[in-house]
Amino acid sequence: QVQLVESGGGLVQPGGSLRLSCAASGSIFSIPSMGWYRQAPGKQRELVAVARSGGSTNYADSVKGRFTISRDNVKNTVYLEMNSLKPEDTAVYYCNADVIDSDYESFGSWGQGTQVTVSS
């Protein structure tokens, strides 16, 4: 069983910054990819950014140049540095990981979500 625990959400003014963290724990063999999704009220969950174990990353067009995803493969932790935040970035942010466990079974795992609110 694998758990993802997120932290770092909160209230910030437009133009401000926040850093989200997500740590994976449990019987983990490897985590090929870790990323962040977000869901605003009345909208579908969307991909924000993903970081793969080999080092490649992808971003939603709406956050390119403002958000940076990184991961620590030793700590099984992924980070999302969010700068120049806009009110439209307001959402619940969810950590997601594609995990291979110690039995070599693969599955997806989600965190509980952390609220990010951008407002003056």
Side-chain angles (χ1 to χ4, degrees):
Q1 188 174 4
V2 174
Q3 292 183 328
L4 302 180
V5 178
E6 301 139 336
S7 61
L11 172 65
V12 64
Q13 292 185 342
S17 299
L18 281 176
R19 187 187 195 218
L20 305 182
S21 300
C22 172
S25 62
S27 300
I28 298 169
F29 174 72
S30 70
I31 307 178
S33 71
M34 296 184 80
W36 293 92
Y37 288 70
R38 67 186 181 186
Q39 187 166 18
K43 295 187 176 181
Q44 289 188 332
R45 192 173 297 189
E46 63 175 0
L47 175 69
V48 177
V50 62
R52 299 173 185 84
S53 56
S56 65
T57 58
N58 286 98
Y59 295 89
D61 288 342
S62 59
V63 306
K64 283 180 180 178
R66 300 188 297 121
F67 291 10
T68 301
I69 190 170
S70 61
R71 57 184 286 179
D72 183 328
N73 293 328
V74 173
K75 295 181 179 179
N76 288 331
T77 299
V78 65
Y79 307 94
L80 186 68
E81 187 75 35
M82 304 185 292
N83 298 313
S84 303
L85 282 160
K86 305 175 181 179
E88 51 264 43
D89 294 317
T90 296
V92 178
Y93 283 69
Y94 295 92
C95 178
N96 172 266
D98 291 329
V99 178
I100 299 175
D101 67 13
S102 55
D103 293 325
Y104 305 110
E105 294 191 4
S106 62
F107 54 91
S109 184
W110 289 93
Q112 79 283 1
T114 184
Q115 177 70 46
V116 172
T117 303
V118 185
S119 175
S120 54

